[in-house]
Amino acid sequence: SLNAKPALDNTVQIKYDPTVYERPVFTGPKNDRQRALVESFRHAWRGYKEHAWGHDNLKPVSGMASDWFSLGLTIVDSLDTAYIMGLTDVFGEGKQWIKEDLIFTKNKDVNFFEVTIRILGGLLTNHYFTQDQLFLDKAIDLGDRLMAAFSSPSGIPYSDVNLGARTAHAPEWSHYSTTAEVTTVQLEFRQLSRASGNPIFEEAAAAVSEKIHQLPKKHGLVPIFINPNTGHFLPHATITLGARGDS
């Protein structure tokens, strides 16, 4: 019958158990196309290592280094790809840099969203792949500092965080946070809680999703800016599937 209710005792409940872990296995490139991709990665890594090692980015035309957050973005962001590709030498170089040089104590503002998806996400992925405690310890340290973003009156994250001072604020040019940014960090904070056993990260990020879902929408769509002080969208702000409303 279409009106019949499902038997409750047949319901399957999936629960996360951090003690059960199956390490992924990667075997490296298996065909010419994959080998070409790996060589392209090596080429980019060699250029970065020669001209911009330890800096966030390499400018490919001028060959100059550039920094956005001074957190070695290219290294942390690329390391899981090196692991998947079977580049153990590259992975070892990057891991050594993270161990010795990746610190979060600088008195410097960073973008909460970008650092979450690139640095925190990179550390957590490498921990998941290898179960190396180094990556988790760094991720916990960073996560603790990023929690300052949730200190707003509404719990909607501020856009900028000073990792060294553990403070957060709205950007200089606006009182608002970007909708896409505050709703695209839940995966990383959830994984950090589950890997560390500390629920505060997942709870803070999940609360943001709950607040967003409770707000009024226009045909199911929302503006691209939200006020972390009030927890409400910027009235008459742009609604788009593009930048600031995409991810």
Side-chain angles (χ1 to χ4, degrees), residues 123-218:
L123 292 170
L124 288 170
T125 303
N126 285 298
H127 172 255
Y128 183 80
F129 284 168
T130 66
Q131 291 296 285
D132 191 315
Q133 188 66 29
L134 165 68
F135 297 116
L136 182 56
D137 289 343
K138 293 283 186 178
I140 293 171
D141 182 16
L142 177 57
D144 283 337
R145 297 170 186 276
L146 289 172
M147 285 295 290
F150 296 98
S151 64
S152 70
S154 70
I156 300 296
Y158 290 117
S159 67
D160 293 10
V161 178
N162 186 308
L163 296 179
R166 299 175 186 258
T167 57
H169 56 85
E172 295 178 358
W173 51 271
S174 172
H175 297 298
Y176 286 79
S177 296
T178 296
T179 304
E181 292 187 358
V182 303
T183 55
T184 317
V185 297
Q186 283 67 26
L187 176 65
E188 291 83 3
F189 277 83
R190 181 179 65 190
Q191 178 60 20
L192 180 57
S193 277
R194 298 184 180 190
S196 67
N198 187 342
I200 64 168
F201 307 109
E202 181 172 4
E203 289 171 355
V208 175
S209 293
E210 292 296 326
K211 290 177 185 292
I212 296 289
H213 283 293
Q214 291 167 7
L215 293 175
K217 301 171 182 63
K218 186 173 183 179

Side-chain angles (χ1 to χ4, degrees), residues 5-228:
K5 294 182 179 179
L8 294 179
D9 54 357
N10 288 334
T11 301
V12 177
Q13 292 187 349
I14 300 175
K15 237 181 139 182
Y16 176 78
D17 183 354
T19 64
V20 178
Y21 171 76
E22 186 174 339
R23 182 173 175 176
V25 177
F26 303 106
T27 57
K30 293 183 176 180
N31 55 52
D32 289 342
R33 185 175 184 180
Q34 291 179 357
R35 281 186 281 273
L37 286 171
V38 171
E39 186 50 41
S40 295
F41 181 97
R42 276 198 179 277
H43 170 76
W45 183 265
R46 283 194 297 265
Y48 168 77
K49 186 178 177 182
E50 180 178 353
H51 298 287
W53 183 250
H55 295 278
D56 286 342
N57 302 303
L58 167 65
K59 296 181 178 181
V61 176
S62 67
M64 301 294 290
S66 68
D67 282 299
W68 189 9
F69 306 133
S70 299
L71 292 173
L73 281 178
T74 293
I75 297 174
V76 185
D77 211 5
S78 303
L79 212 56
D80 51 359
T81 302
Y83 188 87
I84 291 170
M85 288 180 166
L87 300 177
T88 55
D89 55 335
V90 170
F91 185 83
E93 292 170 347
K95 177 184 170 182
Q96 192 67 22
W97 184 88
I98 290 173
K99 178 181 179 180
E100 296 178 354
D101 297 302
L102 180 60
I103 58 172
F104 307 117
T105 55
K106 296 176 183 176
N107 184 27
K108 183 179 178 69
D109 285 350
V110 301
N111 179 271
F112 168 70
F113 163 74
E114 292 288 349
V115 168
T116 295
I117 66 170
R118 299 184 66 178
I119 303 295
L120 183 60
L123 292 170
L124 288 170
T125 303
N126 285 298
H127 172 255
Y128 183 80
F129 284 168
T130 66
Q131 291 296 285
D132 191 315
Q133 188 66 29
L134 165 68
F135 297 116
L136 182 56
D137 289 343
K138 293 283 186 178
I140 293 171
D141 182 16
L142 177 57
D144 283 337
R145 297 170 186 276
L146 289 172
M147 285 295 290
F150 296 98
S151 64
S152 70
S154 70
I156 300 296
Y158 290 117
S159 67
D160 293 10
V161 178
N162 186 308
L163 296 179
R166 299 175 186 258
T167 57
H169 56 85
E172 295 178 358
W173 51 271
S174 172
H175 297 298
Y176 286 79
S177 296
T178 296
T179 304
E181 292 187 358
V182 303
T183 55
T184 317
V185 297
Q186 283 67 26
L187 176 65
E188 291 83 3
F189 277 83
R190 181 179 65 190
Q191 178 60 20
L192 180 57
S193 277
R194 298 184 180 190
S196 67
N198 187 342
I200 64 168
F201 307 109
E202 181 172 4
E203 289 171 355
V208 175
S209 293
E210 292 296 326
K211 290 177 185 292
I212 296 289
H213 283 293
Q214 291 167 7
L215 293 175
K217 301 171 182 63
K218 186 173 183 179
H219 305 299
L221 301 175
V222 298
I224 61 173
F225 292 114
I226 186 168
N227 191 323

